[in-house]
Amino acid sequence: MNISIFGLGYVGCVSIACLAENGHTVTGVDVVAQKIDLINQGKPTIIEKDIDVLLNTNWKKGRISSTQDFKQAVLDTEISIICVGTPSDVNGHLNLNAIYETAEQIGEALKEKDEFHIAIIRSTVLPGTNKKIGEIISERSGKKRNGGFAIVSNPEFLREGSAVNDYYNPPVTVIGTDNEKASKKIVEMYKGINAPFKETNIEIAEFIKYVNNSFHALKVSFANEVGNICKKMNIDSHELMDLFCMDTQLNLSPYYLKPGFAFGGSCLPKDLKAFKTMAHDFYLESPVLNSILDSNENQKNQALSLVLNQNKKKIGILGLSFKKGTDDLRYSPVVELAENLLGKGFSISIYDKNVNVSKLSGTNKAYIDKHIPHLSELISDDLEKVINDSETIIISHNVPEFKDVNLRFPDKHFIDLVKVKDIKPSSNYEGICW
Ligand SMILES: NC(=O)c1ccc[n+]([C@@H]2O[C@H](COP(=O)([O-])OP(=O)(O)OC[C@H]3O[C@@H](n4cnc5c(N)ncnc54)[C@H](O)[C@@H]3O)[C@@H](O)[C@H]2O)c1
C-alpha cells in the first residue's frame, strides 16, 4: 500500500519504519526541513531502540522517502496517517493547530484527487476532533465525507524507549470510523501486527488514550505514595508491590473498574482512612490517597442530585446493603443516600430481600439504628409494592430481578447506580454515569 505520514516525530518516525518493514511504501511529510533530510538519508529523526536499522534497511529497499510537498504526498498515496504533535497550551487546553493545519493540507490536495482517500488520526486528540477534521477537509476539498474521503480515529499506544516493539505488539488496535471501506483497508494495512482488532465508535476511539494515560499516571502516583509510606516504616516497597501485583483477581484486573456508585462497606472506607492517616502521622503528603474519599463523596452527591432533579417526593430504593448478596448495611452509601433524602423530607420505600430488620445484630444493627432507626417501617419484601408506592426508583444492586423493572413500570422513573446486567435503556431510565 502507498501511505503518507504527516509528522515525523516519535510516532511518525516509528510508523514510517514499521509500516515499510511490513511491505508498504511510505512517504513522510513534516514542516521541519531537517527531519525531511534525515529520512531521505535513511536516518531516523529520533533516538529509539532498533529504529536505525529498521529505517535504514527499508530506505535502502526504496520503501521510505520524505517530502515537504504535502500535496504530492496525498496524491501519491491512498492513506494519510496524521501523527503531528498535540501539545498543551499554557492553560492546559489541547493545542490542535498542527492537526487542523494538516487537515487543511489534506483537503487542499484532495481537490486535485479523483480517487477515494483515507485520513487516519493517530495523534492523541479529544472527542469531536474527528468530526471537525472531516468538516475542514470537506470545506477545503469540496468533497463529502464518506464520498471522496473517510476519516478514521486510530490512537497510538506505543511508549518511547520500547516504541518499535510496542508498535508491533500493542494491547489492542482500536479503530473508530463511520466508513466500512476504510475500516477494511486498515485491517489490511495492519496485517502483521500482533493484536486484537477492536472497532468502536469514533468518540470512544478518540477518548480511550486519555483514559489510559490518566490511569497510568494514577498508578505511578499511587505506587509512589505507597513507597513513601513504606520507606518511613522500613518496609521494602518493591517486595510489597511485587506481592500486590500477584493479585490479578482484584488488584490488576477489570474488577472495580466499571463506572457506578460510591464504594462503602465495613472495609474499604475504614482501611483507606487508616492508611492516609498513617501517612499524615509521618508528615507525608499523599494527595492521591487523600482525594479518594472526596471523590467517593462526590459520587454520592451525584446520585443525590439525579434524584433531586426529578422533583418527585416519593422515592423507592431497590437494594439497601452496601452490595448485593449480603445484609451488611454498615457504611452502605445507599443507607447514607436514604438518610439524606429522609432528612430532606422525601418519603422512602425500600426493597432488599437480604435485609430482615428483626435479624440484624451487632455492629450492623447498631449502624442502622443510628442512621435509619425506623427502617422496619420503610422496608418491604414486596418489590411491586415498593415500586407502585414510589415515583422515582433508585436501583443499587445488580441482580436479574431488576433487569426489566423500567419496562414493566413505564410511568415510573428509574435511576440505575450499578448498570443492571441486560437492562434495556428506555425514556424512563437513566444511569448514574452512562
Ligand atoms: N511520543 C509518544 O510516546 C506518543 C505515544 C502515543 C501517542 N502520541 C501522540 O502522538 C502525537 C505525536 O506525538 P510525537 O511524540 O510523535 O510528537 P513530536 O512532537 O515528536 O512530533 C510531531 C511532528 O509533527 C510535525 N508537524 C507539526 N505540524 C505539522 C504539519 N502541519 N505538517 C506536518 N508535520 C507537522 C512536527 O514538526 C514534529 O516533527 C501526539 O498527539 C502525541 O500525544 C505520542
Side-chain angles (χ1 to χ4, degrees), residues 5-13 29-32 35 45-46 70 82-87 94 97-103 105 122-125 155-161 163 209-210 213:
I5 306 238
F6 282 72
L8 295 172
Y10 284 91
V11 171
C13 186
V29 182
D30 205 288
V31 285
V32 178
K35 297 197 181 190
T45 59
I46 54 165
F70 65 84
I82 305 173
C83 307
V84 298
T86 52
L94 196 64
N97 291 346
I99 290 273
Y100 295 148
E101 205 178 293
T102 309
Q105 291 173 334
R122 200 75 166 131
S123 299
T124 304
V125 294
E156 172 58 80
F157 299 130
L158 63 75
R159 294 158 300 167
E160 289 171 26
K209 182 76 186 177
Y210 287 96
N213 276 353

Side-chain angles (χ1 to χ4, degrees), residues 224-295:
N224 290 345
E225 288 188 12
V226 169
N228 292 340
I229 297 167
C230 283
K231 184 169 179 188
K232 289 283 182 191
M233 293 194 295
N234 258 332
I235 289 174
D236 183 333
S237 60
H238 279 250
E239 193 177 333
L240 179 108
M241 288 311 280
D242 283 345
L243 195 56
F244 172 93
C245 293
M246 280 178 72
D247 178 350
T248 53
Q249 286 181 27
L250 299 184
N251 293 352
L252 305 188
S253 75
Y255 209 82
Y256 295 128
L257 281 174
K258 294 285 157 58
F261 196 35
F263 61 78
S266 61
C267 294
L268 263 56
K270 163 179 81 75
D271 296 346
L272 182 61
K273 273 183 204 155
F275 196 26
K276 70 178 199 145
T277 306
M278 196 191 317
H280 180 260
D281 290 347
F282 286 126
Y283 301 102
L284 283 171
E285 297 285 340
S286 52
V288 169
L289 289 174
N290 287 346
S291 60
I292 298 172
L293 284 173
D294 293 343
S295 172

Side-chain angles (χ1 to χ4, degrees), residues 55-272:
L55 196 129
N56 196 261
T57 313
N58 285 287
W59 172 74
K60 281 185 181 146
K61 286 183 187 164
R63 290 183 189 160
I64 290 177
S65 63
S66 186
T67 178
Q68 266 186 312
D69 186 347
F70 65 84
K71 205 176 267 181
Q72 200 57 48
V74 173
L75 292 176
D76 289 346
T77 57
E78 51 190 312
I79 296 178
S80 294
I81 307 182
I82 305 173
C83 307
V84 298
T86 52
S88 290
D89 268 349
V90 274
N91 52 16
H93 286 122
L94 196 64
N95 180 338
L96 292 172
N97 291 346
I99 290 273
Y100 295 148
E101 205 178 293
T102 309
E104 286 167 8
Q105 291 173 334
I106 294 174
E108 231 13 81
L110 289 185
K111 264 190 204 166
E112 298 172 21
K113 191 174 176 184
D114 294 330
E115 297 85 27
F116 190 74
H117 197 79
I118 299 169
I120 299 180
I121 308 168
R122 200 75 166 131
S123 299
T124 304
V125 294
L126 286 167
T129 311
N130 180 308
K131 185 166 176 272
K132 177 96 200 252
I133 288 186
E135 287 163 5
I136 295 173
I137 296 182
S138 214
E139 199 183 303
R140 288 279 168 152
S141 64
K143 296 186 170 176
K144 282 209 168 88
R145 183 184 179 120
N146 294 329
F149 67 92
I151 320 259
V152 179
S153 290
N154 167 222
E156 172 58 80
F157 299 130
L158 63 75
R159 294 158 300 167
E160 289 171 26
S162 54
V164 171
N165 184 56
D166 289 350
Y167 179 93
Y168 286 119
N169 301 285
V172 52
T173 298
V174 176
I175 296 294
T177 186
D178 52 1
N179 190 290
E180 191 61 29
K181 190 167 141 191
S183 166
K184 285 199 177 110
K185 265 275 174 220
I186 286 159
V187 173
E188 199 186 322
M189 182 182 89
Y190 281 136
K191 235 178 228 162
I193 300 287
N194 177 27
F197 203 86
K198 178 74 188 156
E199 200 168 327
T200 180
N201 79 40
I202 290 170
E203 287 76 18
I204 290 181
E206 290 178 301
F207 202 36
I208 183 76
K209 182 76 186 177
Y210 287 96
V211 178
N212 286 357
N213 276 353
S214 302
F215 186 54
H216 301 165
L218 173 68
K219 285 171 80 173
V220 171
S221 300
F222 176 79
N224 290 345
E225 288 188 12
V226 169
N228 292 340
I229 297 167
C230 283
K231 184 169 179 188
K232 289 283 182 191
M233 293 194 295
N234 258 332
I235 289 174
D236 183 333
S237 60
H238 279 250
E239 193 177 333
L240 179 108
M241 288 311 280
D242 283 345
L243 195 56
F244 172 93
C245 293
M246 280 178 72
D247 178 350
T248 53
Q249 286 181 27
L250 299 184
N251 293 352
L252 305 188
S253 75
Y255 209 82
Y256 295 128
L257 281 174
K258 294 285 157 58
F261 196 35
F263 61 78
S266 61
C267 294
L268 263 56
K270 163 179 81 75
D271 296 346
L272 182 61

Side-chain angles (χ1 to χ4, degrees), residues 377-392:
E377 294 161 26
L378 310 178
I379 202 160
S380 157
D381 56 5
D382 184 342
L383 174 64
E384 309 251 330
K385 183 176 180 329
V386 167
I387 296 176
N388 277 322
D389 287 350
S390 314
E391 294 163 301
T392 299

